[in-house]
Amino acid sequence: MVARAAKKKPTGKKKSRKTTRTKPGLFGRLRRWVKYAVLAMLAILMLGVVGYAFINPPTTPYIISEKMRLGQTKRQWVDLEDIAPVMARSVVAAEDANFCQHWGFDMRAIRQAIDDGGSRGASTLTQQVVKNVYLWQGRSWLRKALEATITPLVELVWTKRRIVEVYLNVAEFDEGVFGVGAAAQHYFGVSPDKLTAVQAARLAALLPNPKERSASRPSAFVRKRARAILDGAATIRADGRASCFED
């Protein structure tokens, strides 16, 4: 018999290869936290923009601050269908005549404002809605940056009609008086669907300084501005610049 060659026994166990993972440093962890925070903020932002496209904003940061300061405020939500159409046209004519022709920023108005040395405003109706509904009052680079980010999102998700509706319900028309529903009762004792063209023009003439102007006791400036708004409201109706928010 041929002796079988003795098998060599392994002299030792094979060493398992272990992959050592280095823990991220402080900078890496901080960068990851910032990324998660930004993603969370974007998700909340999109949820807020989409939500308010269908849900009426219950209040705004500015209304809350004014209620804390004054003790109470007047506000009553009114659907656009229950507001005199001339009121919507008057506000658009006063604040953003090219509202139906831009995507949130009126580049022509911005260029004119730059040419005038910044003495005139170029804020669109959409920008004002964003500021009133989502942000805070005052001037700062952070607020402007957020406004510039949210404005095109609102234009993308909301309809033009919705933007006008929300604006008419959150704009301030006197100290502690917010929305055209409360303003119509406050100044004229009527419901917003009964507003005349002159009354609507006078309410629009209060913007953007409602605390310094009155629709029921209009100054010479308010009367003059209201007459211009009256003409402007008729003009944008005739030339089609009100078509995007009217039935």
Side-chain angles (χ1 to χ4, degrees):
M1 294 179 65
V2 180
R4 293 181 180 178
K7 294 182 179 179
K8 292 182 179 180
K9 294 182 178 181
T11 56
K13 293 181 179 180
K14 292 182 179 180
K15 293 183 180 180
S16 59
R17 295 180 181 178
K18 292 184 179 180
T19 304
T20 57
R21 296 181 178 178
T22 58
K23 293 183 178 180
L26 177 61
F27 179 76
R29 292 197 299 270
L30 181 61
R31 184 172 60 182
R32 186 172 58 188
W33 292 339
V34 169
K35 182 179 73 173
Y36 290 155
V38 170
L39 291 175
M41 288 176 61
L42 289 175
I44 294 171
L45 176 60
M46 285 303 302
L47 184 63
V49 171
V50 173
Y52 281 164
F54 307 99
I55 303 170
N56 299 331
T59 187
T60 69
Y62 181 59
I63 293 176
I64 292 173
S65 66
E66 284 295 276
K67 189 172 185 178
M68 293 174 62
R69 184 177 70 87
L70 300 171
Q72 65 176 358
T73 56
K74 297 178 181 179
R75 180 173 180 254
Q76 177 186 2
W77 183 274
V78 184
D79 293 336
L80 194 57
E81 290 79 6
D82 299 321
I83 300 173
V86 70
M87 184 68 235
R89 290 195 297 271
S90 296
V91 165
V92 171
E95 295 293 289
D96 187 4
N98 295 319
F99 174 68
C100 289
Q101 300 175 335
H102 63 65
W103 47 274
F105 303 99
D106 190 341
M107 303 311 295
R108 183 185 304 174
I110 291 173
R111 286 193 294 269
Q112 289 177 350
I114 294 173
D115 293 340
D116 293 342
S119 59
R120 57 184 296 174
S123 182
T124 64
L125 217 64
T126 314
Q127 288 175 273
Q128 294 181 51
V129 166
V130 168
K131 180 183 70 175
N132 288 331
V133 173
Y134 297 104
L135 305 174
W136 60 92
Q137 304 295 311
R139 295 176 178 273
S140 69
W141 286 108
L142 176 60
R143 190 188 67 74
K144 279 294 183 184
L146 290 172
E147 181 184 300
T149 301
I150 302 172
T151 294
L153 292 177
V154 169
E155 282 277 343
L156 180 66
V157 177
W158 295 17
T159 64
K160 290 285 191 176
R161 188 173 173 82
R162 179 60 172 170
I163 294 170
V164 173
E165 181 179 55
V166 173
Y167 181 85
L168 287 172
N169 280 282
V170 300
E172 185 180 26
F173 289 92
D174 196 359
E175 189 171 51
V177 178
F178 294 90
V180 70
Q185 287 288 342
H186 176 71
Y187 284 113
F188 308 116
V190 300
S191 57
D193 62 318
K194 302 299 183 184
L195 286 168
T196 67
V198 172
Q199 290 170 338
R202 285 188 180 179
L203 286 178
L206 304 180
L207 307 170
N209 298 312
K211 289 186 174 70
E212 301 173 6
R213 304 170 186 175
S214 172
S216 57
R217 298 184 301 276
S219 63
F221 172 82
V222 171
R223 289 179 183 275
K224 180 180 179 181
R225 177 167 164 77
R227 286 194 296 269
I229 292 172
L230 196 64
D231 292 339
T235 299
I236 65 170
R237 183 185 188 186
D239 65 17
R241 282 183 291 166
S243 60
C244 68
F245 59 87
E246 293 197 323
D247 292 332

